[in-house]
Amino acid sequence: MTKLERRNPKKRFPKGILIAAAILAVLAGSAIATVGMPGTLQGWFARQWTEQNDTEMSAEQLAFIDHLTEKVGVQDTQNGVTVTLDSVTAGDSGVWLLLKVSGSYEEDEDHRYDFGRVELTLDPDPEKIHDTPGGSGIQTLYSGTASDGEFTVLLQYTIDLAGKSTLLDEPRGATLVLEDLNRKEIGGDWEEAPTAEGTWTLDFSLSPDEEWQVRTIPEMEVPAQNQNTREAGRTTIREVRISATEIQYVQSAEEQEWEPERAALILQDGSVVERGGGSSRFQDAEYTRWSSTYYWRVPVDVSQVEALRIGNETFPLE
């Protein structure tokens, strides 16, 4: 039995949002057919969806992602180069950040570009509540000229909160610091001299979403693989929590070597959303609760989820 949690179950997406989403679906389809990444977060997610399902994302799903995505627009200019934080999509323990770069720097098709240092800090810091050390990281999903002709960088920040809190449980200030835009020759090594020098600082905020939805399952026995022997078997996962951006669950310390098979969500229209990377660690100082978090490749409207798939087994969600 699952439980769907909503803070305000009566809200519906306005008709205007659905119309805009239908237009966005057409634009996203055009962007996918061109060279380069779509120039918006919505377009990026639409392309990921198509890669997984070989169909376009529905207008309702696009409207949901549009609801999660906040236009930011803050910018900083250093040495003639302007970096703009265009928009962000935030989840329980991860944030996608879309950057636009413009100004006096050289760019060519023979090189790949990335910042030498990228750091995101949050206030209040959600890690301060934990008794055991966690970790956070930020990776570049895409860097290059997007289909709209603008130089675009897509970042994904993730933080292991071990299910004890979320990024959206209270308002947070956020500061993104970027240092030195470097370039790498495709197939070669990083050059020591940056293409554009400077430190860009971008301040924004993360706000709780009153419509955040979560499905919970008290306990499940699922197919798993022993990480030491590669033996196939089964494990019990508890306190399963499925949100728009990730899946979290806890195992006993004795079963931590048994990793559940890869998870995916099956939606009512038959679409499938697979998980990407994640992390695991002990949730408590006594080392009794092994906690895992894995991120969906695309944010999902969990009210449209029909089943959870673990490996080759499907578990209907009622």
Side-chain angles (χ1 to χ4, degrees), residues 45-119:
F45 292 132
R47 186 168 76 170
Q48 297 296 303
W49 186 281
T50 299
E51 288 179 357
Q52 292 183 58
N53 293 285
D54 200 27
T55 59
E56 290 186 359
M57 184 182 288
S58 68
E60 289 79 9
Q61 181 67 25
L62 280 163
F64 176 76
I65 289 177
D66 190 60
H67 174 73
L68 294 186
T69 301
E70 182 178 355
K71 193 73 174 178
V72 181
V74 297
Q75 58 184 216
D76 188 16
T77 301
Q78 300 292 329
N79 300 321
V81 175
T82 298
V83 178
T84 302
L85 178 56
D86 177 85
S87 51
V88 300
T89 302
D92 279 330
S93 53
V95 184
W96 289 268
L97 309 102
L98 189 74
L99 303 169
K100 299 290 186 176
V101 184
S102 62
S104 55
Y105 67 94
E106 296 182 0
E107 182 185 346
D108 62 70
E109 297 179 353
D110 296 328
H111 291 81
R112 188 162 57 245
Y113 296 79
D114 203 354
F115 290 98
R117 182 172 74 93
V118 181
E119 183 177 272

Side-chain angles (χ1 to χ4, degrees), residues 122-132 134 159 161 164-165 172 281:
L122 300 169
D123 182 24
D125 184 349
E127 284 192 288
K128 293 292 178 65
I129 70 168
H130 299 315
D131 299 324
T132 55
I159 182 169
L161 297 173
K164 291 191 173 184
S165 66
R172 300 185 192 278
R281 70 179 175 103

Side-chain angles (χ1 to χ4, degrees), residues 140-218:
T140 301
L141 299 180
Y142 177 88
S143 177
T145 302
S147 56
D148 59 7
E150 295 187 76
F151 184 74
T152 301
V153 179
L154 177 60
L155 305 173
Q156 184 182 17
Y157 169 83
T158 55
I159 182 169
D160 184 355
L161 297 173
K164 291 191 173 184
S165 66
T166 80
L167 296 178
L168 302 177
D169 55 9
E170 62 178 308
R172 300 185 192 278
T175 300
L176 179 67
V177 177
L178 309 161
E179 186 175 291
D180 293 345
L181 181 62
N182 297 324
R183 69 178 189 173
K184 175 185 179 181
E185 184 177 1
I186 296 177
D189 298 324
W190 283 107
E191 297 183 4
E192 293 185 4
T195 298
E197 294 182 303
T199 300
W200 294 266
T201 303
L202 302 166
D203 295 314
F204 62 105
S205 60
L206 297 177
S207 301
D209 185 349
E210 293 183 356
E211 290 302 299
W212 199 245
Q213 303 171 15
V214 174
R215 279 190 164 181
T216 57
I217 306 170

Side-chain angles (χ1 to χ4, degrees), residues 1-2 216-223 234-240 242 247 249-250 255 308-310 313-317:
M1 180 67 67
T2 67
T216 57
I217 306 170
E219 184 175 300
M220 302 174 67
E221 185 184 274
V222 299
R234 304 186 71 80
T235 187
T236 298
I237 57 177
R238 299 176 176 85
E239 300 171 36
V240 182
I242 301 170
I247 180 172
Y249 51 82
V250 175
E255 295 199 32
L308 172 66
R309 190 177 70 199
I310 306 288
E313 295 187 24
T314 300
F315 303 86
L317 303 183

Side-chain angles (χ1 to χ4, degrees), residues 247-267:
I247 180 172
Q248 299 174 349
Y249 51 82
V250 175
Q251 294 168 270
S252 66
E254 294 75 21
E255 295 199 32
Q256 64 172 293
E257 64 185 27
W258 288 94
E259 182 176 347
E261 297 287 350
R262 199 172 187 87
L265 296 177
I266 301 176
L267 277 63

Side-chain angles (χ1 to χ4, degrees), residues 242-243 263-267 271-274 296 300 305 307-309:
I242 301 170
S243 73
L265 296 177
I266 301 176
L267 277 63
S271 300
V272 176
V273 177
E274 298 178 349
W296 307 123
V300 180
V305 174
L308 172 66
R309 190 177 70 199

